[in-house]
Amino acid sequence: MTSQTLSAATLASGKGHKDENFPVASWLLKPRHRAPIMAFYRFARAADDVADNEHATAPERLALLGAMRATLSGGSDAAPEGLALREVLAEYRLSPQHGLDLLTAFERDCTVNRCATWADLIDYCRVSAMPVGRYVLDVHGESRATWAANDALCAALQVINHLQDCGKDYRKLDRVYIPLDLLARAGARVEDLGGERATPGLKVAIAECARLTQGLLQQSARFARDIRDTRLAMEVAAIQALAERLTARLRTADPLSETVHHSKAQMAWIAGRAALARALR
């Protein structure tokens, strides 16, 4: 593939919103809110696929992300994905800042492949995950007072995804999100992530990340109660419940040799119960 034919579309993974570990613009949300959220998702998915592509070089990926940034900011029409979201933002009178923050995370992925500390990982989540929830809240006209709980939940979701995919990320992209200091304290090495099974030290490091993630979920526990829109509150309650189950499992599971994901049936059961309980309250 030549640089002349390289585009976000040619680097697409084929992954869609139904393939994610957590609900994206589910039927719980009002139809008028689902459209702008899906527009944001498609933009984020395209940018994520660019950043994670193992065949394009870092300069090529950064150039594509730069074109998306320029287009979303209004300085260019070069990137179709950026133009599509920009038009939606104009229609709904929403800021491009959340999308620009996401691009910062994906640009970082092209040049930085390690996190030194838990604080570094949370700083990455600040641009890779928190803007997604903030955008959804803005679409619904929710108060910014909900942002602190949102940020904790979104960071937790991001860390869960990192832990689930830690082996694949290392083998495919040489990318490690588990903080290096936690690995060192547990007596684990980065290279352990390439094994078929987690070493005892790596399991300790993963469990510690899961424990810290449970702390984030404690901070987000009241998030759904603070949301005015009942249907959005139901979706948030469902996501919180799914995250709590996965985090508890990650404290003992080995994501290198086990599938630490909910099945579609499990996801529907856990999410449905939590959403219904929130609706009844």
Side-chain angles (χ1 to χ4, degrees):
M1 188 179 299
T2 66
S3 58
Q4 286 74 22
T5 61
L6 203 62
S7 68
T10 60
L11 300 185
S13 66
K15 187 175 182 179
H17 71 285
K18 292 184 179 179
D19 301 311
E20 302 293 347
N21 293 325
F22 300 97
V24 177
S26 77
W27 61 269
L28 285 171
L29 301 186
K30 296 171 184 173
R32 71 173 183 271
H33 295 321
R34 289 202 293 270
I37 293 171
M38 282 305 304
F40 191 83
Y41 172 80
R42 285 189 288 270
F43 174 83
R45 179 76 267 154
D48 197 6
D49 287 347
V50 168
D52 285 354
N53 190 276
E54 58 193 299
H55 303 296
T57 66
E60 288 172 334
R61 286 176 280 145
L62 286 168
L64 289 174
L65 293 171
M68 294 178 75
R69 178 181 290 278
T71 303
L72 186 60
S73 300
S76 167
D77 292 342
E81 302 80 12
L83 185 59
L85 179 57
R86 194 177 83 199
E87 291 173 348
V88 169
L89 296 178
E91 179 183 353
Y92 287 87
R93 298 182 180 180
L94 296 167
S95 167
Q97 189 57 53
H98 302 312
L100 296 172
D101 286 342
L102 275 186
L103 289 174
T104 298
F106 297 135
E107 289 161 350
R108 189 180 302 183
D109 281 336
C110 295
T111 57
V112 179
N113 58 4
R114 300 288 188 270
C115 283
T117 65
W118 178 259
D120 288 340
L121 178 55
I122 297 302
D123 184 64
Y124 172 76
C125 293
R126 179 181 58 80
V127 286
S128 69
M130 298 174 190
V132 178
R134 292 181 178 188
Y135 176 83
V136 173
L137 291 168
D138 282 356
V139 166
H140 285 78
E142 294 289 334
S143 167
R144 291 195 173 189
T146 59
W147 277 19
N150 164 82
D151 292 353
L153 178 58
C154 288
L157 302 182
Q158 181 76 86
V159 177
I160 289 167
N161 284 337
H162 289 331
L163 295 178
Q164 289 172 317
D165 297 336
C166 61
K168 181 179 72 175
D169 285 342
Y170 175 70
R171 291 188 296 270
K172 182 179 177 183
L173 303 169
D174 188 32
R175 195 179 293 160
V176 179
Y177 293 104
I178 299 174
L180 297 181
D181 64 341
L182 295 186
L183 287 171
R185 285 205 297 270
R189 304 175 305 146
V190 165
E191 293 77 14
D192 293 344
L193 289 161
E196 294 184 1
R197 293 180 178 276
T199 61
L202 180 55
K203 286 193 73 173
V204 169
I206 291 170
E208 176 62 6
C209 282
R211 185 189 69 80
L212 292 168
T213 303
Q214 287 179 322
L216 293 171
L217 291 171
Q218 289 173 0
Q219 296 174 40
S220 64
R222 65 165 294 112
F223 185 19
R225 297 195 296 273
D226 292 339
I227 295 173
R228 294 191 302 264
D229 186 288
T230 300
R231 294 176 68 164
L232 176 59
M234 291 170 65
E235 178 158 291
V236 167
I239 292 171
Q240 174 82 21
L242 290 166
E244 289 174 353
R245 289 288 191 94
L246 284 172
T247 306
R249 188 173 176 195
L250 282 163
R251 290 198 68 167
T252 58
D254 173 9
L256 269 60
S257 61
E258 302 174 63
T259 300
V260 192
H261 293 77
H262 293 307
S263 68
K264 294 295 184 184
Q266 289 172 328
M267 183 181 290
W269 173 250
I270 296 167
R273 286 185 61 188
L276 180 60
R278 179 63 188 86
L280 292 175
R281 279 199 296 268

